[in-house]
Amino acid sequence: MSDRKSETGRHAPANDHSARFDAELRGVSAALLAENRANARTPTHRIDRAALSRVFQFTDLCAAILIAFAALALDPRTVWPLALFLVIASGGLHSFSLYRISPTVPPWDRLARSVIAIGLAGLATLTMANLFDPAVLPVAAWQTVAGGAGLLGLQVIYALAICRWARAGRLAANIVIVGATPQARRMIDANRRTREVNIVGIFDDRQSRSPSRLAGVPYLGTLDDLANWKALPEVDRILITVRPDAIARVRDLLGKLSPLPHPIGLSLEFGDEAASTATLASIADAPAAQLSGRPANPDWLIVKRLEDLVIGSLMFLAALPVMAAIALLVRLDSPGPILFRQVREGFNGRPIGVLKFRSMRHSVEGEKSGVRQVERDDPRVTRVGKILRATSLDELPQLWNVLRGEMSLVGPRPHAPGMKTGATLTSNLVAEYAHRHRVKPGLTGWAQVNGSRGPLHSPEAARERVKLDVEYIARASLWFDLWIMLRTLPALLGDKINIR
């Protein structure tokens, strides 16, 4: 048997190649890899389409309620036709798939379906009014026109917003594929017709058998290159493509990818037809096995953001007098800026600038890497800084990070890139360390109310904190967040042990 035949048999490698696939292969130089990684397109600030759909539905519901109340205030006796119209119109918008967010649907298509749905709702409403109460027909007519114009205006705004975000790539999830396989090529070909996801690149640790480009998508290197890739924080999901009999290969890939905070999916190759008729979005989200990471819940994402905006705004306004007094004390206590910005790891490990009141002397607090952690009786801490750190009041400016969407009120506390426990990188001590980046960092968290605060000086302390952070991610809910917030102040006031 020839070498080529041995690769296509039952025990073929996980990234076996067909004849068509081989035509794309050529040597990949280090310079070409560097160029591919530099040019890889990773749109930032993506918008979750399911969450956006919920926002549109909620906005339409609020608009319908406001329109109904306005009509009720004008003439309660003739409000029933308008209420009927709003109910029928809402059902029509759903039935015409106006709440299905697709970046490939042109604005005129959405607007045409909106006009048809709202127009049919108006026609049905006027017909019912004419049949059951002809006297209200004139009022029902202008109410229907006014209500329809309001709903249609919202649909115009939605269509234009979707078009703009789609052009910027913000509605397409960033996905990388692990495995330069024929299955990957077929999935890329299928996705090219819809562009429902943004395929950033291909990674495969069998570099000698990988193409420089696969169906137009660049090869970006090995799994080590993926872990060290500067654009990795902008990736939303990692998809593994292998043969169904490559069990050992899957275990090996998961062992290398599991430290990453990203959801990992598995797509097995069963044949050409399934991949050629499905989009990569459907393969990645539904049929693909979820191997790592909690599936995104759009309803929870909306609730979490509303929680941060509503409670965070109230807390920010209430804290303004306190922050003004602290700012004055910091200014009088020692020379230097009142606030400073520390680089911390945010969602998916993205670097964010976290605001704090200055609690150390300016000459040393300019070290923003955060690698050296504070120690007991640290000479760098100022007199006011000791009080601020003991009460965690130096963290109050992070309410602004919460309102900006970089942090949440509740979540794992943000750590500095390259933070060490003793002389060892904390990320190297705990295999699940990166999993704490699957949610936004928080102003307070489950670990903090359970006594894990301040710097980490032992591997045991690092493991305990990550364990509590991962537990929070698994249990996250509105009521759990409220419980943690209620426990935060008593936990801070009762903590006499941790260094801060």
Side-chain angles (χ1 to χ4, degrees):
M1 182 181 293
S2 68
D3 291 340
R4 187 63 198 155
K5 289 182 179 179
S6 68
E7 292 181 358
T8 57
R10 184 166 179 253
H11 301 289
N15 59 343
D16 61 319
H17 302 158
S18 65
R20 178 183 170 188
F21 186 80
D22 281 338
E24 298 178 299
L25 290 174
R26 64 184 178 91
V28 185
S29 65
L32 181 57
L33 276 179
E35 181 182 355
N36 284 349
R37 285 194 287 268
N39 295 332
R41 183 173 176 266
T42 54
T44 58
H45 307 295
R46 263 118 25 250
I47 299 172
D48 183 89
R49 286 183 290 178
L52 184 63
S53 173
R54 303 289 199 281
V55 170
F56 286 170
Q57 293 177 59
F58 180 74
T59 303
D60 283 352
L61 176 62
C62 291
I65 292 174
L66 289 175
I67 293 171
F69 271 105
L72 188 63
L74 292 174
D75 190 351
R77 295 170 299 175
T78 59
V79 75
W80 73 263
L82 178 61
L84 178 64
F85 165 74
L86 294 173
V87 171
I88 298 176
S90 298
L93 294 175
H94 274 281
S95 62
F96 278 80
S97 300
L98 268 304
Y99 296 120
R100 182 181 180 274
I101 311 299
S102 175
T104 60
V105 175
W108 62 264
D109 182 270
R110 291 185 59 86
L111 293 178
R113 284 183 285 133
S114 300
V115 170
I116 294 173
I118 295 173
L120 289 177
L123 181 61
T125 300
L126 295 179
T127 301
M128 297 288 287
N130 186 52
L131 288 175
F132 295 102
D133 193 355
V136 303
L137 187 60
V139 176
W142 75 258
Q143 286 183 341
T144 299
V145 171
L151 291 180
L152 185 60
L154 287 175
Q155 304 311 310
V156 171
I157 295 174
Y158 300 160
L160 295 177
I162 291 171
C163 180
R164 179 177 179 180
W165 290 332
R167 288 177 179 174
R170 296 185 62 186
L171 296 179
N174 288 341
I175 290 180
V176 296
I177 298 178
V178 173
T181 67
Q183 168 79 341
R185 174 175 51 76
R186 287 191 293 268
M187 292 165 66
I188 294 169
D189 287 338
N191 182 70
R192 186 177 290 112
R193 296 190 293 270
T194 62
R195 301 289 184 183
E196 289 190 318
V197 298
N198 179 37
I199 309 171
V200 181
I202 304 285
F203 288 86
D204 197 319
D205 54 2
R206 302 179 181 185
Q207 186 172 357
S208 62
R209 309 193 59 211
S210 300
S212 60
R213 300 187 74 84
L214 179 62
V217 176
Y219 169 71
L220 302 180
T222 65
L223 297 191
D224 289 336
D225 294 322
L226 172 61
N228 298 313
W229 186 33
K230 66 178 182 179
L232 183 60
E234 300 304 330
V235 172
D236 301 301
R237 187 178 174 94
I238 298 172
L239 186 64
I240 300 173
T241 61
V242 295
R243 290 175 56 86
D245 55 356
I247 299 175
R249 172 70 167 157
V250 172
R251 289 200 189 105
D252 179 56
L253 291 174
L254 282 179
K256 294 178 179 179
L257 295 174
S258 58
L260 301 179
H262 303 72
I264 300 172
L266 173 66
S267 179
L268 300 177
E269 179 179 359
F270 291 104
D272 291 1
E273 184 176 353
S276 63
T277 58
T279 66
L280 184 57
S282 64
I283 293 172
D285 291 338
Q290 181 82 12
L291 299 182
S292 174
R294 185 181 181 186
N297 183 341
D299 295 326
W300 167 237
L301 294 177
I302 295 173
V303 170
K304 182 75 167 174
R305 187 60 184 142
L306 288 174
E307 169 194 317
D308 291 339
L309 288 174
V310 175
I311 301 179
S313 297
L314 295 175
M315 292 177 64
F316 185 79
L317 292 174
L320 278 176
V322 178
M323 289 194 286
I326 292 174
L328 178 61
L329 291 173
V330 171
R331 172 65 72 186
L332 295 175
D333 182 52
S334 63
I338 295 172
L339 295 174
F340 76 103
R341 189 182 299 269
Q342 287 181 320
V343 177
R344 291 292 184 261
E345 293 179 323
F347 177 72
N348 262 6
R350 297 185 186 116
I352 59 174
V354 173
L355 294 172
K356 295 183 69 175
F357 282 117
R358 182 173 58 82
S359 60
M360 294 185 180
R361 306 189 190 285
H362 178 48
S363 59
V364 292
E365 195 157 29
E367 301 172 5
K368 298 180 181 179
S369 63
V371 174
R372 181 186 172 187
Q373 301 187 61
V374 69
E375 303 168 356
R376 191 175 298 278
D377 299 323
D378 198 315
R380 299 174 296 169
V381 180
T382 64
R383 291 172 299 175
V384 171
K386 289 180 181 179
I387 300 174
L388 295 179
R389 297 181 75 92
T391 56
S392 293
L393 290 174
D394 60 324
E395 313 284 356
L396 278 180
Q398 290 169 28
L399 285 169
W400 182 247
N401 292 107
V402 173
L403 298 180
R404 282 171 53 89
E406 298 168 328
M407 293 177 59
S408 287
L409 289 173
V410 181
R413 284 293 295 156
H415 286 178
M419 191 181 77
K420 294 183 178 180
T421 300
T424 307
L425 286 173
T426 308
S427 57
N428 292 340
L429 292 174
V430 189
E432 296 82 9
Y433 182 83
H435 293 202
R436 66 195 307 277
H437 297 145
R438 285 178 173 161
V439 296
K440 292 178 183 178
L443 195 62
T444 185
W446 185 233
Q448 283 63 50
V449 300
N450 281 282
S452 181
R453 287 185 295 275
L456 299 170
H457 293 299
S458 70
E460 293 75 18
R463 295 187 186 100
E464 177 64 18
R465 180 172 299 180
V466 173
K467 174 186 174 183
L468 291 168
D469 288 339
V470 173
E471 181 182 345
Y472 165 76
I473 295 172
R475 296 176 56 186
S477 69
L478 175 60
W479 304 115
F480 193 37
D481 279 6
L482 294 176
W483 173 240
I484 291 172
M485 283 187 269
L486 288 175
R487 286 187 56 182
T488 296
L489 185 58
L492 286 174
L493 296 178
D495 182 11
K496 307 298 182 182
I497 300 175
N498 288 293
I499 304 170
R500 284 180 280 166

